Amino acid sequence: MIQMALAALKTQLKNFVQSMFDEGVLDSQFSQIQALQDSSNPNFVDEVITLFCTDAERIITELNKYLGYQSVDFSKLDTYVHQLKGSSSSIGAHRLKLACVNLRQASDDRSKEGCVRALNSITREYCLLRSKFQTLIQVTHDLIVFVIRMIGLKLSDIMVKTL
């Protein structure tokens, strides 16, 4: 019974991540990040996601600020979009990276309207990604809590049997 529940949670996690690949939300870079997680650092992926989201939100706020000015400083805009594109690429956020490419192109074209449209796309993609990452972290957390509880139950069974 316990093994079935554990297998079901692992399958749910695997299927959820696969759906993110299938939808193009993530690319193979995310698999490389997952491969770096091990028993010595069991929260590695969660920590990388949290750092990415914090940084992405800061950058998106800055992009909105610069596009809100009457006269857009496209060089500053380029600096921030370059940062977001790089961090998106590093974590494997494929669709967000593509949205950044569109903003970069609109900035190169010096099109404020195009930049606003591209930033709206970035914001949508980021919100979708953040939501999916939150679900991923929650399912991972549920799996860890389940395993810890099962270890605790097994230890208590052993203690009862030895008494």
Side-chain angles (χ1 to χ4, degrees):
M1 179 72 128
I2 293 172
Q3 297 293 7
M4 287 176 49
L6 180 59
L9 278 173
K10 285 182 177 180
T11 299
Q12 180 185 7
L13 180 61
K14 181 181 174 190
N15 290 343
F16 183 73
V17 172
Q18 185 59 49
S19 74
M20 292 174 73
F21 287 116
D22 294 344
E23 295 168 11
V25 174
L26 296 177
D27 62 27
S28 62
Q29 181 62 30
F30 188 75
S31 295
Q32 292 180 13
I33 290 170
Q34 286 181 303
L36 295 173
Q37 182 166 293
D38 60 19
S39 60
S40 68
N41 195 356
N43 296 320
F44 180 75
V45 173
D46 293 356
E47 291 169 4
V48 169
I49 288 171
T50 300
L51 289 171
F52 167 77
C53 288
T54 299
D55 195 44
E57 288 173 17
R58 178 188 59 79
I59 293 169
I60 291 169
T61 298
E62 289 298 315
L63 290 168
N64 273 300
K65 180 175 86 173
Y66 283 105
L67 282 174
Y69 295 147
Q70 184 72 24
S71 178
V72 176
D73 183 342
F74 289 103
S75 65
K76 289 212 186 240
L77 198 69
D78 283 345
T79 299
Y80 283 108
V81 75
H82 181 73
Q83 288 176 18
L84 185 57
K85 181 179 174 257
S87 58
S88 297
S89 182
S90 294
I91 200 167
H94 182 70
R95 287 181 12 190
L96 183 56
K97 178 182 71 175
L98 294 177
C100 289
V101 169
N102 292 337
L103 179 54
R104 188 76 187 260
Q105 183 59 53
S107 178
D108 288 347
D109 294 343
R110 303 297 193 236
S111 168
K112 183 175 180 178
E113 285 181 22
C115 287
V116 169
R117 281 192 305 275
L119 183 55
N120 287 338
S121 176
I122 284 173
T123 302
R124 280 190 308 275
E125 289 299 333
Y126 173 71
C127 288
L128 172 70
L129 179 65
R130 183 185 62 206
S131 174
K132 289 183 178 290
F133 275 162
Q134 288 170 339
T135 300
L136 175 64
I137 289 170
Q138 184 60 52
V139 172
T140 302
H141 180 262
D142 292 348
L143 182 62
I144 291 168
V145 167
F146 180 81
V147 169
I148 289 170
R149 285 186 179 152
M150 291 306 102
I151 290 170
L153 286 177
K154 288 181 181 183
L155 286 176
S156 66
D157 288 347
I158 292 169
M159 295 293 281
V160 169
K161 289 178 183 176
T162 57
L163 295 176

